[in-house]
Amino acid sequence: MVRVLRVAALVPFASALSSTHEAPAKRVAIIGAGAGGASTAYHLAQYAANSSIPVNITVFERASYIGGRTTTVNAWDDAASPIELGGSIFVEVNRIMVSATKAFNLSTADYDSTAQLELPDLGIWDGQSFVLVTRQEDGWWEKTKLVWRYGTAPFWTNRLMKAAVGKFLTMYEEPVFPWTSLSDVVEKVGLLGVTGVTGEQFLEANGVLGRFAREVVQASTRVNYASNLAHIHGLETMVCMATTGAMSIHGGNWLIFSHMLSSSPRITTHLNTPVTSLSKQQNGTYHLTTPNTTVPLQYDAVILASPLQFANLTLSPPPAHTPDTIPYTALHTTLFASPHALNPQAFNLPSTAKVPQIVLTTLPDGEDAREDPGSPAFYSISLHDYRLNPRATPPRMEYVYKIFSGVRVDAGFLSGILGRNVSLPDEAADEGVAGEVKHDGTTQPKLNPNAHVSWIHRKLWLSYPREYPRVTFEEVVLDEGLWYTSGIEGFVSTMETSALSGMNVARLVRDGWVAGKGGKEEEKEEEGQSEL
């Protein structure tokens, strides 16, 4: 699929101003075209239009694509076979993602391609056996099916999840929204008691003990955040359990953010354009430089929409507040295609058994809590699709798998889970990690399209922060005119929360402009609609 959006040449700021007969347009730079940056641009263009404020928004992205940690790759280099490499799903409570899907008339992905295989849907593997095999669409809340093993724990966990998510959703609405301090708003909506303890402590304090926490809830935190319950805070644990209405966009979730950036003539996007320095001027504006500029570009406001610790950006003078450097998870994502189903004997099943389409993992009973995958050796293996390999001779149907792991998946591991002697060419180590200077961080060796593994793509992500318990969070305002969306990462790290943070910053910027014109004025349209 071709990614289309408007990308203009960099020009000196003066040429971008409105005519002398109009108020000069506000000049805004957004650094990062992921979920946070795209949402900021999209909502700021709407808020400004609804308040009759002229604005020019310029988005700078150092990568060659839009979407940040939300991107696709093509199986067998076939453009008709895009596969999610990053953020794969969102759920029905994700208001911004769902609203944008409808606004841009995007189609959700169809997962019927694997239905014909008649495989068990989901299994939880502890490195020794499957402790649970169930149907994915049942969710975790089918008490009549799970009570025999877990008693009332699913019921109480569901209640805890709904209560936590309900408090979180008030952050979208007045009088809570918009917020100037994430720490204050988390306390205001009553979530400090959930973020300030581990998932294990939160569940135990609320009477959810034993197998359900260790097997089901921990399997969810492992697949979503590569974390065991003792090393992730309670709110992120509850987010992992909010799975109702899971969906993704046909062609890739990045399409939501691409459409956000192409939705308005007020937004211009520059790909392959890292910002190298940002300098605050005495008049409160900012000078911004890129490798493509000879004269600094001047902006009235700058929104940093990626973690500062990975931005490779010089700030002069240092801002009033500098975000803390926090640990991020290095997650190995491996996509591969094979004509072979998963080997049941690799999971201690009879040779005639069928392995579930989605294999989640948890620690076996008695194994101490730890930060690595433990004895299962990986976080998850999922059957992503079942489709035609057009490069094989003759073309053949193949399984497309995705593995999340803490270490690089090698030929020996693939040989074990497929029950075949898999051979891979020598590969150099991953070139880098997403978020560092070498942003791509992928390797994709050329394989024999008729081999046991016909295609493989590897990505080493700095996927999300280590969501340790915490009760304070990064500032939204780093300095006058300098805004930050990535502080929400330590609270909840999802496509939706990044988009919410972007919408929040957009509203704060707009409200500041309105106040500067003499007071608050009513918007012309309801929030979420646009004149664009």
Short mmCIF file of all heavy atoms in Angstrom, two decimals, residues 76 336-340 383 385-389 392 396-401 449-455:
data_model
loop_
_atom_site.label_atom_id
_atom_site.label_comp_id
_atom_site.label_asym_id
_atom_site.label_seq_id
_atom_site.Cartn_x
_atom_site.Cartn_y
_atom_site.Cartn_z
N TRP A 76 7.23 -11.51 2.36
CA TRP A 76 7.80 -11.89 1.06
C TRP A 76 8.02 -10.67 0.15
O TRP A 76 8.05 -10.78 -1.07
CB TRP A 76 6.92 -12.91 0.34
CG TRP A 76 6.53 -14.08 1.16
CD1 TRP A 76 7.35 -15.10 1.58
CD2 TRP A 76 5.24 -14.36 1.70
NE1 TRP A 76 6.64 -15.99 2.33
CE2 TRP A 76 5.35 -15.59 2.42
CE3 TRP A 76 4.00 -13.73 1.63
CZ2 TRP A 76 4.26 -16.14 3.07
CZ3 TRP A 76 2.92 -14.29 2.29
CH2 TRP A 76 3.05 -15.48 2.99
N PHE A 336 7.74 -14.33 10.82
CA PHE A 336 8.25 -15.28 9.85
C PHE A 336 7.10 -16.07 9.24
O PHE A 336 6.00 -16.14 9.82
CB PHE A 336 9.29 -16.21 10.46
CG PHE A 336 8.74 -17.25 11.42
CD1 PHE A 336 8.48 -18.54 10.97
CD2 PHE A 336 8.49 -16.94 12.74
CE1 PHE A 336 7.99 -19.50 11.85
CE2 PHE A 336 7.99 -17.89 13.62
CZ PHE A 336 7.74 -19.18 13.17
N ALA A 337 7.35 -16.63 8.07
CA ALA A 337 6.35 -17.42 7.36
C ALA A 337 6.87 -18.82 7.12
O ALA A 337 8.07 -19.03 6.86
CB ALA A 337 6.00 -16.75 6.03
N SER A 338 5.96 -19.79 7.19
CA SER A 338 6.32 -21.20 7.01
C SER A 338 5.10 -21.97 6.55
O SER A 338 3.97 -21.65 6.95
CB SER A 338 6.84 -21.78 8.33
OG SER A 338 7.03 -23.19 8.22
N PRO A 339 5.28 -23.01 5.74
CA PRO A 339 4.15 -23.86 5.39
C PRO A 339 3.76 -24.82 6.52
O PRO A 339 2.79 -25.56 6.39
CB PRO A 339 4.67 -24.63 4.18
CG PRO A 339 6.15 -24.72 4.39
CD PRO A 339 6.52 -23.41 5.04
N HIS A 340 4.50 -24.79 7.64
CA HIS A 340 4.30 -25.77 8.71
C HIS A 340 3.61 -25.16 9.92
O HIS A 340 3.92 -24.04 10.34
CB HIS A 340 5.65 -26.35 9.14
CG HIS A 340 6.45 -26.91 8.00
ND1 HIS A 340 6.02 -27.98 7.26
CD2 HIS A 340 7.65 -26.50 7.47
CE1 HIS A 340 6.92 -28.24 6.32
NE2 HIS A 340 7.91 -27.36 6.43
N LEU A 383 -0.19 -16.90 15.67
CA LEU A 383 -0.44 -17.09 14.24
C LEU A 383 -1.13 -15.83 13.76
O LEU A 383 -2.30 -15.59 14.07
CB LEU A 383 -1.31 -18.32 14.01
CG LEU A 383 -1.76 -18.57 12.55
CD1 LEU A 383 -0.56 -18.71 11.63
CD2 LEU A 383 -2.65 -19.80 12.50
N ASP A 385 -1.54 -14.78 10.48
CA ASP A 385 -2.33 -14.90 9.24
C ASP A 385 -2.04 -16.24 8.59
O ASP A 385 -1.09 -16.95 8.95
CB ASP A 385 -1.96 -13.77 8.27
CG ASP A 385 -3.10 -13.39 7.35
OD1 ASP A 385 -4.05 -14.19 7.21
OD2 ASP A 385 -3.07 -12.29 6.77
N TYR A 386 -2.86 -16.57 7.62
CA TYR A 386 -2.67 -17.76 6.79
C TYR A 386 -2.96 -17.33 5.37
O TYR A 386 -4.10 -17.03 5.02
CB TYR A 386 -3.63 -18.87 7.24
CG TYR A 386 -3.45 -20.19 6.50
CD1 TYR A 386 -2.27 -20.91 6.58
CD2 TYR A 386 -4.49 -20.70 5.72
CE1 TYR A 386 -2.12 -22.12 5.93
CE2 TYR A 386 -4.35 -21.92 5.06
CZ TYR A 386 -3.16 -22.62 5.17
OH TYR A 386 -3.01 -23.83 4.50
N ARG A 387 -1.90 -17.21 4.58
CA ARG A 387 -2.09 -16.60 3.26
C ARG A 387 -1.14 -17.20 2.23
O ARG A 387 -0.23 -17.97 2.57
CB ARG A 387 -1.91 -15.09 3.33
CG ARG A 387 -0.54 -14.62 3.77
CD ARG A 387 -0.41 -13.10 3.67
NE ARG A 387 -1.31 -12.41 4.58
CZ ARG A 387 -1.50 -11.09 4.57
NH1 ARG A 387 -0.83 -10.33 3.71
NH2 ARG A 387 -2.31 -10.53 5.43
N LEU A 388 -1.35 -16.82 0.99
CA LEU A 388 -0.59 -17.37 -0.14
C LEU A 388 0.80 -16.76 -0.21
O LEU A 388 0.95 -15.53 -0.18
CB LEU A 388 -1.35 -17.11 -1.44
CG LEU A 388 -0.76 -17.75 -2.70
CD1 LEU A 388 -0.96 -19.27 -2.67
CD2 LEU A 388 -1.42 -17.16 -3.96
N ASN A 389 1.81 -17.62 -0.28
CA ASN A 389 3.18 -17.18 -0.55
C ASN A 389 3.35 -17.13 -2.05
O ASN A 389 3.51 -18.16 -2.71
CB ASN A 389 4.18 -18.15 0.09
CG ASN A 389 5.61 -17.84 -0.32
OD1 ASN A 389 5.90 -16.89 -1.04
ND2 ASN A 389 6.53 -18.67 0.15
N ALA A 392 6.78 -18.68 -3.73
CA ALA A 392 7.09 -20.11 -3.79
C ALA A 392 6.76 -20.67 -5.17
O ALA A 392 5.95 -20.13 -5.92
CB ALA A 392 6.31 -20.85 -2.72
N ARG A 396 2.15 -21.38 -2.56
CA ARG A 396 1.56 -22.26 -1.55
C ARG A 396 1.04 -21.44 -0.37
O ARG A 396 1.50 -20.32 -0.11
CB ARG A 396 2.61 -23.24 -1.05
CG ARG A 396 3.77 -22.60 -0.32
CD ARG A 396 4.90 -23.57 -0.01
NE ARG A 396 5.95 -22.94 0.79
CZ ARG A 396 7.11 -23.51 1.09
NH1 ARG A 396 7.39 -24.74 0.65
NH2 ARG A 396 8.00 -22.87 1.84
N MET A 397 0.08 -21.99 0.34
CA MET A 397 -0.45 -21.35 1.54
C MET A 397 0.55 -21.53 2.69
O MET A 397 1.12 -22.61 2.86
CB MET A 397 -1.80 -21.95 1.92
CG MET A 397 -2.91 -21.69 0.90
SD MET A 397 -3.25 -19.92 0.67
CE MET A 397 -3.95 -19.49 2.27
N GLU A 398 0.74 -20.46 3.46
CA GLU A 398 1.68 -20.50 4.56
C GLU A 398 1.12 -19.79 5.79
O GLU A 398 0.26 -18.92 5.70
CB GLU A 398 3.01 -19.86 4.16
CG GLU A 398 3.76 -20.64 3.09
CD GLU A 398 5.19 -20.19 2.93
OE1 GLU A 398 5.68 -19.36 3.74
OE2 GLU A 398 5.84 -20.68 1.98
N TYR A 399 1.64 -20.20 6.93
CA TYR A 399 1.33 -19.56 8.20
C TYR A 399 2.29 -18.38 8.39
O TYR A 399 3.49 -18.50 8.13
CB TYR A 399 1.51 -20.52 9.36
CG TYR A 399 0.75 -21.82 9.24
CD1 TYR A 399 1.32 -22.93 8.61
CD2 TYR A 399 -0.53 -21.96 9.78
CE1 TYR A 399 0.63 -24.14 8.51
CE2 TYR A 399 -1.23 -23.16 9.69
CZ TYR A 399 -0.65 -24.25 9.05
OH TYR A 399 -1.33 -25.43 8.96
N VAL A 400 1.78 -17.26 8.86
CA VAL A 400 2.61 -16.10 9.19
C VAL A 400 2.55 -15.91 10.70
O VAL A 400 1.47 -15.68 11.26
CB VAL A 400 2.15 -14.83 8.47
CG1 VAL A 400 3.06 -13.66 8.84
CG2 VAL A 400 2.15 -15.04 6.96
N TYR A 401 3.70 -16.05 11.36
CA TYR A 401 3.77 -16.03 12.82
C TYR A 401 4.45 -14.75 13.31
O TYR A 401 5.27 -14.15 12.62
CB TYR A 401 4.58 -17.21 13.34
CG TYR A 401 4.01 -18.58 13.03
CD1 TYR A 401 4.50 -19.34 11.96
CD2 TYR A 401 2.99 -19.12 13.83
CE1 TYR A 401 4.00 -20.60 11.69
CE2 TYR A 401 2.49 -20.39 13.56
CZ TYR A 401 2.99 -21.12 12.50
OH TYR A 401 2.49 -22.39 12.23
N PRO A 449 12.34 -19.00 -1.02
CA PRO A 449 10.89 -18.93 -0.83
C PRO A 449 10.22 -20.29 -0.72
O PRO A 449 9.05 -20.37 -0.37
CB PRO A 449 10.42 -18.17 -2.08
CG PRO A 449 11.48 -18.42 -3.09
CD PRO A 449 12.77 -18.47 -2.33
N ASN A 450 10.96 -21.38 -0.98
CA ASN A 450 10.41 -22.73 -0.86
C ASN A 450 10.91 -23.46 0.39
O ASN A 450 10.62 -24.64 0.57
CB ASN A 450 10.76 -23.55 -2.10
CG ASN A 450 10.20 -22.95 -3.37
OD1 ASN A 450 9.01 -22.78 -3.50
ND2 ASN A 450 11.09 -22.59 -4.30
N ALA A 451 11.65 -22.74 1.26
CA ALA A 451 12.26 -23.37 2.43
C ALA A 451 11.24 -23.54 3.55
O ALA A 451 10.10 -23.07 3.47
CB ALA A 451 13.44 -22.54 2.90
N HIS A 452 11.66 -24.22 4.63
CA HIS A 452 10.79 -24.40 5.78
C HIS A 452 10.38 -23.05 6.38
O HIS A 452 9.27 -22.90 6.88
CB HIS A 452 11.48 -25.25 6.85
CG HIS A 452 11.71 -26.67 6.44
ND1 HIS A 452 10.74 -27.45 5.88
CD2 HIS A 452 12.83 -27.45 6.53
CE1 HIS A 452 11.22 -28.65 5.63
NE2 HIS A 452 12.49 -28.68 6.01
N VAL A 453 11.29 -22.10 6.37
CA VAL A 453 10.98 -20.71 6.71
C VAL A 453 11.28 -19.90 5.45
O VAL A 453 12.42 -19.76 5.04
CB VAL A 453 11.82 -20.20 7.90
CG1 VAL A 453 11.64 -18.70 8.08
CG2 VAL A 453 11.42 -20.94 9.18
N SER A 454 10.21 -19.39 4.84
CA SER A 454 10.36 -18.74 3.54
C SER A 454 10.61 -17.25 3.63
O SER A 454 11.03 -16.62 2.65
CB SER A 454 9.09 -18.98 2.70
OG SER A 454 7.97 -18.38 3.33
N TRP A 455 10.32 -16.68 4.81
CA TRP A 455 10.48 -15.23 5.00
C TRP A 455 10.62 -14.95 6.48
O TRP A 455 9.97 -15.60 7.30
CB TRP A 455 9.26 -14.49 4.44
CG TRP A 455 9.21 -13.02 4.76
CD1 TRP A 455 9.91 -12.03 4.15
CD2 TRP A 455 8.41 -12.39 5.77
NE1 TRP A 455 9.60 -10.81 4.72
CE2 TRP A 455 8.69 -11.01 5.72
CE3 TRP A 455 7.50 -12.86 6.72
CZ2 TRP A 455 8.08 -10.09 6.57
CZ3 TRP A 455 6.90 -11.96 7.58
CH2 TRP A 455 7.18 -10.59 7.51
#
